[in-house]
Amino acid sequence: MTTPSWKPGLAIRRIGPLLIAMLALEIIFGAFVPGFWRARNQIDLMQQVSVNAILALGVTLTIIIGGIDLSVGAVLALVGTATVYMLTYTGSGSQSLGQFVLAIACGMGMAGAFGLFNGIPAAKTRMPAFVITLATMMVARGMAYRFNEARPMPVPDQQTAFLALGNARLFGVVPVPVIV
């Protein structure tokens, strides 16, 4: 069995239309939106797109192996809700390393549990991943909705370390989520 070699022409044919569309959008918005080309605006756009880009990378890998995951957004909502809840659970209003680590561990553990709940049946049964992840999406969405009582859960201002994960800038310029 031979490994196919990378072909630059094929990569350009696949990625080329996407790059042309992105360039066209940049030109159109640049022509009609004042200040669109400013570095600050471009960095802000990168920060806003970064969470969706991280999720899209995971979904892309799933699609490449022939699967599908419909539950990504709902699981993200549930994990975010649970993480913020754990940050505020003690009610002390102050920031502590233990609370920070516990909140992150809770979110990662919940995401891992949903990943196992999706992955094991998909790998061990003949049930389509579409059906499994559709059910998981409904469960996660319902849990998130019930957990936060359909209201926003703000991160307390005292949780500066946690807020820095999404809002801090490396060297005061590049947002941390863009680096991820």
Side-chain angles (χ1 to χ4, degrees):
M1 187 166 146
T2 62
T3 305
S5 62
W6 184 74
K7 298 177 183 174
L10 180 62
I12 290 172
R13 279 187 287 170
R14 288 185 177 175
I15 296 175
L18 177 63
L19 294 176
I20 291 169
M22 287 175 52
L23 182 62
L25 285 173
E26 287 278 330
I27 291 169
I28 291 168
F29 282 116
F32 294 106
V33 177
F36 181 80
W37 287 103
R38 291 191 183 124
R40 173 76 181 179
N41 185 57
Q42 295 297 311
I43 290 172
D44 286 344
L45 285 172
M46 286 189 289
Q47 182 174 13
Q48 292 171 12
V49 169
S50 61
V51 172
N52 288 338
I54 293 166
L55 292 175
L57 176 64
V59 171
T60 300
L61 296 175
T62 303
I63 291 170
I64 286 172
I65 63 168
I68 187 76
D69 188 352
L70 303 175
S71 66
V72 173
V75 171
L76 174 68
L78 177 60
V79 167
T81 301
T83 303
V84 171
Y85 177 79
M86 292 305 294
L87 281 173
T88 60
Y89 180 69
T90 60
S92 64
S94 64
Q95 175 176 285
S96 73
L97 179 61
Q99 188 179 19
F100 176 77
V101 170
L102 178 65
I104 298 293
C106 174
M108 296 296 283
M110 187 172 287
F114 272 91
L116 284 173
F117 187 74
N118 283 339
I120 290 174
K124 299 293 183 185
T125 68
R126 292 179 182 238
M127 191 180 314
F130 176 85
V131 173
I132 296 166
T133 60
L134 181 64
T136 305
M137 177 185 76
M138 300 305 282
V139 168
R141 183 180 292 165
M143 287 174 68
Y145 183 77
R146 186 77 176 136
F147 193 64
N148 66 5
E149 299 172 352
R151 293 183 303 206
M153 292 181 70
V155 177
D157 291 336
Q158 298 89 343
Q159 300 294 338
T160 55
F162 187 79
L163 289 169
L165 292 175
N167 297 325
R169 293 178 181 259
L170 186 64
F171 306 116
V173 178
V174 181
V176 171
V178 172
I179 298 167
V180 173

